[in-house]
Amino acid sequence: MSDSTSGCAEPRTLSEAGVEALVHGICFKTGPPRRLGVEVEWLVHELRAPQLPVAPERLRAAYAALRTLPLRSALTVEPGGQLELSSPPAASLMECVRTVSADLDAVRAALREDGLVLVGIGQDPWHEPRRFLREPRYDAMETCLDRTGPAGRAMMCTSASVQVCLDAGHEEPGPLGHVRRWWLAHHLGAVLVAAFANSPLAGHRPSGWLSTRQRTWTRIGAGRAGAPPLDAEPRDAWARHVLDAPVMCVRRDDAPWDVPEGLTFREWLRTGAPRPPTREDLDYHVTTLFPPVRPRGHLELRMIDAQPGDDGWIVPLAVTAALFDDPEATETAYRTVKRLAERTLGLPAPHNPLWLDAARRGLADAELREVAVTCFATALDALPRLGATPEVIEAVTAYLDRHVVLGRCPADDLLDRQRGTHGRAQGKDPRP
């Protein structure tokens, strides 16, 4: 879950062939699916007055206190002050759930003492992007992303997600093979976007999208936030994508970082300007790419909005783990989502009609709802085989009944509250 694809410390110059070989070896480490992880991002709001911005000084003090807690998960802070907990790789679904749940309990208790609360919404419904971290990395990122409009700052400073991390899978073909899992992640991903959409508001008003967060990603640009084409072997496709993606910045030790415009990593290798790229530069370049499925040795599924409630994140984690790691369930999921492939028009996610429909309409899309119902039922059948507790199975069942079967998602609940249909005045706190 780190920000580097290797532990290499010594700078070494590279060639195109060398980069392809490194990406092949680093980003798809195949073997039997055994490990699972989750990264949960949260907005941090005032407990009593969530529409008021939290002063940076209060955040810094609160986060300093959090870093003294004996957590098993890695605690990091995003550019806008969002909080992230990244689990250690777990040997089972329930090990992952128990570890992160215990850490979240400790974090929430500490924040509550400071009058702060974790909020599970995919994009902040009230606050404009405001950068909390002032570091060369984020200065360069902001400069780079500003060239494509305001979406980059919104992504950096006001978005939050649930990211599920899965082993890449077997080298050999089959339901748990890495080629099948790569394809499944990019098609099931649209179903996960629709089923867990939870960001319908921007600037206090409906944005017209049930996942405004996903809309934000589509506006950053395909080179930075898009997937490679799926009509090639995954390692080859990802290596080409890495080489042809724009370089966000050229790091320097003793000066502001350069932010070149339109320079791909391949062109940087060929020209060697403003200096020859090194292995460390390649490692860093990969961390500046934000596709919906990012290969990091494992597969990092990045398309799920942050979820409401203390334990809402457990449902997407459990459903995704069941549909990828249980052989019977993954075969059913593959057959079920295959019918959606035509709607992509052969275009990479998330910039294709299927993903755009999922983010805009959620499960109001009849075909996505039908596929989601089948996938959730399949996951429920598989969860006992993964050792899920009755509480986790009950949570997934309740989500299926309350949302999926009815063609709803958490964004619909937020919109109901914003409109006052739950007996609350318009414009009040939309948190469940």
Side-chain angles (χ1 to χ4, degrees):
M1 315 301 179
S2 71
D3 275 345
S4 177
T5 53
S6 83
C8 177
E10 293 298 323
R12 287 179 284 171
T13 56
L14 300 169
S15 66
E16 288 182 51
V19 167
E20 290 180 357
L22 284 168
V23 172
H24 275 217
I26 290 168
C27 293
F28 285 91
K29 296 178 180 177
T30 54
R34 292 195 179 104
R35 296 285 183 175
L36 176 71
V38 68
E39 302 175 23
V40 285
E41 294 176 340
W42 304 86
L43 305 176
V44 178
H45 285 173
E46 292 281 0
L47 178 62
R48 302 296 181 188
Q51 296 192 41
L52 297 178
V54 181
E57 297 77 14
R58 292 193 64 214
L59 278 182
R60 277 192 284 272
Y63 292 164
L66 292 182
R67 291 189 177 94
T68 67
L69 298 176
L71 306 176
R72 290 195 60 205
S73 303
L75 186 148
T76 54
V77 178
E78 296 297 305
Q82 311 97 306
L83 196 69
E84 178 178 278
L85 285 180
S86 301
S87 73
S92 69
L93 169 63
M94 291 315 305
E95 179 185 326
C96 187
V97 168
R98 292 185 182 106
T99 296
V100 178
S101 295
D103 288 343
L104 281 171
D105 287 346
V107 167
R108 285 195 181 94
L111 287 176
R112 196 176 298 114
E113 292 182 2
D114 290 315
L116 301 173
V117 63
L118 297 180
V119 178
I121 304 178
Q123 189 152 309
D124 198 306
W126 302 306
H127 305 120
E128 292 296 317
R130 181 190 64 171
R131 193 141 64 86
F132 173 70
L133 297 181
R134 295 289 170 180
E135 300 173 6
R137 168 187 173 93
Y138 298 121
D139 293 344
M141 182 181 292
E142 185 176 277
T143 299
C144 176
L145 295 179
D146 278 352
R147 291 170 179 159
T148 58
R153 292 197 186 200
M155 177 274 289
M156 292 173 65
C157 299
T158 60
S159 69
S161 68
V162 176
Q163 299 177 16
V164 180
C165 299
L166 306 155
D167 281 334
H170 289 284
E171 186 69 26
E172 299 79 15
L176 299 183
H178 77 283
V179 174
R180 173 75 70 85
R181 287 162 76 84
W182 178 249
W183 186 95
L184 180 61
H186 287 87
H187 290 82
L188 181 61
V191 181
L192 299 176
V193 169
F196 296 109
N198 187 38
S199 51
L201 304 174
H204 299 259
R205 294 185 296 274
S207 69
W209 295 63
L210 294 183
S211 178
T212 305
R213 172 181 166 273
Q214 193 61 228
R215 181 191 68 175
T216 297
W217 285 109
T218 66
R219 294 181 174 181
I220 291 174
R224 181 75 52 204
L230 295 181
D231 58 357
E233 197 279 330
R235 288 190 180 96
D236 293 337
W238 180 246
R240 285 195 297 269
H241 186 73
V242 168
L243 280 164
D244 293 328
V247 172
M248 178 173 284
C249 55
V250 177
R251 298 173 299 164
R252 297 189 181 279
D253 294 332
D254 54 357
W257 294 7
D258 293 334
V259 185
E261 187 165 5
L263 176 70
T264 68
F265 202 87
R266 191 187 302 275
E267 292 166 339
W268 190 11
L269 287 167
R270 291 177 177 178
T271 64
R275 60 168 175 77
T278 67
R279 168 68 179 272
E280 283 187 328
D281 292 318
L282 172 63
D283 292 347
Y284 186 79
H285 173 63
V286 172
T287 72
T288 69
L289 305 180
F290 312 116
V293 183
R294 185 162 63 177
R296 306 281 302 274
H298 55 274
L299 299 182
E300 184 181 83
L301 277 62
R302 304 169 51 84
M303 71 288 295
I304 302 169
D305 281 357
Q307 295 297 289
D310 288 354
D311 301 325
W313 58 275
I314 295 175
V315 174
L317 172 64
V319 169
T320 306
L323 295 178
F324 275 87
D325 288 350
D326 180 84
E328 183 178 339
T330 195
E331 184 64 28
T332 300
Y334 173 75
R335 292 197 307 268
T336 302
V337 303
K338 198 171 183 180
R339 58 194 273 197
L340 299 175
E342 289 185 2
R343 290 178 58 176
T344 70
L345 303 182
L347 300 173
H351 304 86
N352 65 50
L354 174 64
W355 279 67
L356 295 173
D357 288 344
R360 186 182 288 111
R361 303 185 61 222
L363 296 184
D365 182 297
E367 188 174 37
L368 281 168
R369 179 179 65 83
E370 185 177 346
V371 169
V373 168
T374 301
C375 287
F376 269 70
T378 300
L380 277 170
D381 184 60
L383 282 172
R385 297 193 290 270
L386 296 184
T389 61
E391 291 79 11
V392 169
I393 293 171
E394 181 180 346
V396 176
T397 301
Y399 196 95
L400 172 62
D401 293 340
R402 178 185 175 187
H403 290 106
V404 181
V405 170
L406 301 179
R408 291 175 61 87
C409 58
D412 294 303
D413 298 337
L414 286 175
L415 289 172
D416 286 347
R417 287 173 171 81
Q418 198 265 354
R419 293 164 183 152
T421 57
H422 283 202
R424 304 179 74 169
Q426 185 170 341
K428 296 291 184 180
D429 181 1
R431 291 174 294 164

